[in-house]
Amino acid sequence: MAMAEKTVTRREFLLQVAQGTAVAATGAMLWLYMLRQEARAHPFALRPPGALPEPDFLAACIKCGKCVNDCPYDTLKLAPAGGNLPIGTPFFTPRDIPCYLCPDIPCMKACPTGALSPELNNINDSRMGLAVIDIENCLSWRGLRCEICHRECPLKGKAITLETHPRPISKHAMFYPMVHSDACTGCGICEKACPTEEPAIRVFPHKMVQGKIGEHYRLGWTFETEITQDFKPSAPSAAGSAPAKAPKKAPGMDYLNEGGL
Amino acid sequence: MSAIEPTRQDAQASLDKIHTRTLPQRLWSWRYIVLRRLSQLGILLMFFGTAHWGWQIAQDVPLLTGNLSASKFAGILPMADPFAVLQIFLTGHVLQTEVLLGAGTVFAFYLILGGRVYCAWVCPVNMVTDLANWLRMRLDVRPIFHITRNVRYLMLAAALVLSVVSGVAAFEWVSPIGMMHREIIFGLGLGFIALLAIFLFDLLILKNGWCGHLCPLGAFWSVIGHHTAQLRVRFDASTCTHCGECARVCPEPQVLNLKKIAEVGYVYSGECSNCGRCSPLCPEGSLAFDLRPLIRKHNERSARVTP
Ligand code: SF4
Ligand code: SF4
Ligand code: SF4
Ligand code: SF4
Ligand code: SF4
């Protein structure tokens, strides 16, 4: 019967469409899963100077390796397949070779896509990562006079400072290296220079080590937050006249330390 | 010269011609294969030499930096893979002029020459799949199954759609082509496993499996070359005996549909990679590389002579 034949054909056809769709959908899911694994599952890579924020960087980098070619120190490598970093993208391992902060930024200039942003004009503004100190294993924090990271840091005095602390049984002070995120470029020269067996100072992507306070906290003893603006001593006027108005209270004073309780 | 309809004897005579070739004739028939290997390896060598031995074309002017995804020749000519750039564009990223210019240059080059010239003359994976195919013919491996060669266009579409969905250039992140040239130029990883998989797939599972059925880059270039390619294999139907040797060695035998190409006068399909396997083999000289405007003249001339 013509009718029956037609139904069978249609049924078969629909089934074939369903099968084709299933194969395509399975393939697409697998493909997406691989992309996720490759591109998103490894937040550890330190990128060359000027790299866009990681998701943008991963989208924009065409994996050409021109940055790698143009780095005079062989700092940069392209991540191989099967490694633990996003495939084909440039990264560096400071303990092997740090970034020496070339003033002319050849890696960034070589990048054809803008994955290394040409908006970076001063290499000291690059933020490849942030150095963190393991104070339990830092020789200086243990009381020895090391301070090699401080001496080697191209931004010493800004990215790393030394703080003196009294030492319990001696008159000689302790010198604690401290890293400051507003100046540290993440070049890793400190990590390379650190003399301990495993480096006691290491560079990580900011996301992995940096906390965030949150907007709602008010640091009452600073003059930066709104609440304390009332107490801020007014700036001495340029004309040299008397201060317009004395602050109501000394900074940081409240009922707890005014003795009013 | 034979009539319009060649006989079985004609075809047999052609086959006999092939089988009784002298050694020099055989070697000469490999000329395009040798040239293609030189081209493929030479390009890789230029990248490698620039990356590792500091090859320069002049003082402080590197020869060829980068890789097949994006590169710069002699410090002035930027090049980029238009398919990769298209995927990046689809992730929503605004690209810099240099890579756009580079992609435009390469695009124009293959648009005129024929897209899949990339496959046969540049792509390093072609060396792997050619080897698998050659071995497969020697070992006479029987086919297990067939799938349509159009799957590659589905892969092409999927690469573009998934780039939008995932926010990264979908094919570039899984491309065995990228793995191969990157790892040759920039150091070894596990990319060779992907190549081994392709090799075994082509050798034992599906003939011309990767390049002929799946590769989205090959599909991309097939589309690009289809209408505009100027370098084509000319077909002279008046001398052809239908011996079928060309289609036997062709990695894309569907492009050698003799009836259709006889009408047009050349292998018109963008899927032809201009690999040059068919033409040196053809015992009647019916197939030859030529430029499209010259092909028309040639065929007009032979049409005048034949009747
Ligand atoms: S700034 Fe210099 S040392 Fe650092 S990655 Fe770029 S080229 Fe290399
Ligand atoms: S030069 Fe730019 S696009 Fe090329 S690998 Fe480096 S970061 Fe990626
Ligand atoms: S990574 Fe180390 S050496 Fe480099 S800027 Fe930061 S603290 Fe200084
Ligand atoms: S089909 Fe793909 S892998 Fe094969 S030669 Fe062409 S681009 Fe290379
Ligand atoms: S038609 Fe000839 S040149 Fe084109 S792919 Fe086939 S064998 Fe190669």
Side-chain angles (χ1 to χ4, degrees):
Chain A
M1 282 215 326
M3 208 32 214
E5 260 175 49
K6 204 177 170 190
T7 330
V8 171
T9 333
R10 184 185 294 148
R11 198 186 110 98
E12 272 173 5
F13 172 74
L14 286 178
L15 215 61
Q16 268 174 8
V17 169
Q19 283 173 327
T21 317
V23 170
T26 316
M29 305 275 250
L30 265 176
W31 194 340
L32 263 183
Y33 176 76
M34 286 202 308
L35 290 179
R36 234 206 99 71
Q37 282 305 95
E38 271 303 334
R40 300 273 182 260
H42 314 286
F44 309 107
L46 295 175
R47 300 302 183 190
L52 299 173
E54 191 74 359
D56 293 335
F57 176 79
L58 293 179
C61 171
I62 200 167
K63 311 178 202 293
C64 66
K66 290 178 75 191
C67 51
V68 176
N69 280 344
D70 282 17
C71 172
Y73 301 101
D74 284 339
T75 300
L76 303 175
K77 303 273 176 283
L78 282 192
N84 57 359
L85 294 176
I87 183 171
T89 53
F91 72 100
F92 70 105
T93 313
R95 190 66 164 173
D96 298 339
I97 312 177
C99 166
Y100 288 102
L101 300 181
C102 314
D104 53 339
I105 328 181
C107 48
M108 178 209 75
K109 288 204 181 115
C111 179
T113 57
L116 307 182
S117 167
E119 276 157 34
L120 180 69
N121 293 316
N122 181 348
I123 185 68
N124 290 341
D125 292 337
S126 61
R127 292 292 178 267
M128 296 171 265
L130 178 61
V132 283
I133 298 174
D134 170 8
I135 58 172
E136 291 181 347
N137 288 296
C138 168
L139 298 176
S140 295
W141 277 78
R142 296 294 291 266
L144 296 174
R145 292 297 311 271
C146 169
E147 301 132 35
I148 287 179
C149 54
H150 173 257
R151 201 162 55 244
E152 293 288 313
C153 177
L155 291 149
K156 65 167 155 291
K158 289 193 210 121
I160 303 190
T161 54
L162 291 178
E163 288 196 4
T164 51
H165 281 251
R167 187 189 301 253
I169 50 166
S170 153
K171 284 182 182 163
H172 298 287
M174 310 244 270
F175 291 84
Y176 291 168
M178 307 278 277
V179 178
H180 304 280
S181 65
D182 56 345
C184 172
T185 59
C187 67
I189 291 173
C190 51
E191 177 175 334
K192 173 77 177 165
C194 180
T196 53
E197 201 173 303
E198 294 289 327
I201 184 166
R202 300 182 197 219
V203 177
F204 287 98
H206 291 87
K207 266 207 128 92
M208 299 197 64
V209 287
Q210 211 170 21
K212 188 171 178 231
I213 293 182
E215 304 284 313
H216 56 291
Y217 285 97
R218 296 282 174 259
L219 307 181
W221 52 91
T222 69
F223 295 119
E224 269 86 55
T225 49
E226 286 165 32
I227 278 181
T228 45
Q229 290 308 304
D230 298 346
F231 312 130
K232 195 171 186 173
S234 43
S237 69
S241 57
K245 201 173 144 204
K248 285 181 199 151
K249 283 179 191 167
M253 291 294 267
D254 59 18
Y255 68 96
L256 284 174
N257 48 18
E258 269 175 342
L261 265 183
Chain B
M1 206 152 289
S2 63
I4 311 290
E5 276 305 314
T7 62
R8 199 177 300 155
Q9 281 83 352
D10 294 331
Q12 191 54 48
S14 295
L15 288 178
D16 290 344
K17 272 193 219 168
I18 291 178
H19 295 139
T20 54
R21 283 176 304 170
T22 60
L23 185 66
Q25 280 174 328
R26 267 170 209 275
L27 290 179
W28 178 238
S29 73
W30 292 346
R31 58 190 182 275
Y32 292 121
I33 313 246
V34 173
L35 282 177
R36 292 202 291 117
R37 294 296 171 262
L38 286 178
S39 160
Q40 286 161 328
L41 292 170
I43 290 168
L44 282 182
L45 186 67
M46 284 201 281
F47 280 125
F48 190 91
T50 309
H52 295 272
W53 303 318
W55 282 6
Q56 296 181 340
I57 201 158
Q59 186 67 32
D60 288 332
V61 183
L63 179 63
L64 184 61
T65 59
N67 59 27
L68 290 172
S69 299
S71 59
K72 199 177 232 177
F73 181 74
I76 43 161
L77 180 67
M79 289 180 276
D81 173 354
F83 182 47
V85 168
L86 178 62
Q87 292 168 66
I88 294 177
F89 175 77
L90 289 175
T91 66
H93 191 85
V94 181
L95 284 156
Q96 228 170 282
T97 354
E98 179 177 334
V99 80
L100 293 178
L101 270 178
T105 312
V106 172
F107 188 82
F109 178 79
Y110 287 116
L111 194 68
I112 296 171
L113 208 58
R116 287 202 84 193
V117 166
Y118 174 84
C119 290
W121 295 79
V122 178
C123 181
V125 172
N126 173 266
M127 294 191 272
V128 177
T129 56
D130 269 4
L131 180 65
N133 195 23
W134 178 77
L135 256 185
R136 191 181 170 112
M137 293 224 232
R138 299 227 69 176
L139 302 177
D140 204 15
V141 181
R142 300 273 133 218
I144 311 180
F145 65 92
H146 291 283
I147 55 171
T148 160
R149 284 177 179 256
N150 291 336
V151 172
R152 55 185 149 191
Y153 298 108
L154 198 66
M155 295 279 284
L156 172 59
L160 300 180
V161 172
L162 291 182
S163 296
V164 179
V165 174
S166 69
V168 292
F171 183 58
E172 298 315 300
W173 283 79
V174 296
S175 161
I177 310 157
M179 289 181 208
M180 184 168 178
H181 63 71
R182 272 199 308 273
E183 297 199 350
I184 289 175
I185 301 166
F186 291 103
L188 221 55
L190 294 182
F192 70 90
I193 292 181
L195 291 171
L196 191 65
I198 287 182
F199 179 77
L200 292 177
F201 182 66
D202 276 22
L203 176 63
L204 299 172
I205 302 178
L206 186 63
K207 189 170 192 291
N208 300 313
W210 173 255
C211 293
H213 294 77
L214 298 176
C215 176
L217 183 55
F220 176 79
W221 285 126
S222 300
V223 176
I224 298 315
H226 191 73
H227 291 292
T228 49
Q230 294 305 307
L231 182 64
R232 295 280 68 168
V233 175
R234 181 184 72 214
F235 178 57
D236 192 347
S238 60
T239 52
C240 171
T241 61
H242 289 197
C243 72
E245 276 298 283
C246 51
R248 196 179 63 79
V249 294
C250 176
E252 302 280 349
Q254 75 284 2
V255 308
L256 283 170
N257 180 329
L258 297 179
K259 222 181 254 161
K260 283 194 196 159
I261 61 174
E263 281 166 25
V264 188
Y266 56 89
V267 178
Y268 58 88
S269 170
E271 285 163 5
C272 165
S273 62
N274 282 358
C275 71
R277 273 199 192 72
C278 55
S279 62
L281 194 65
C282 177
E284 309 302 335
S286 310
L287 296 162
F289 279 130
D290 208 344
L291 295 175
R292 206 187 275 188
L294 301 182
I295 291 175
R296 201 181 316 116
K297 272 193 205 136
H298 176 97
N299 287 353
E300 276 166 12
R301 204 167 42 239
S302 58
R304 246 178 283 131
V305 172
T306 331

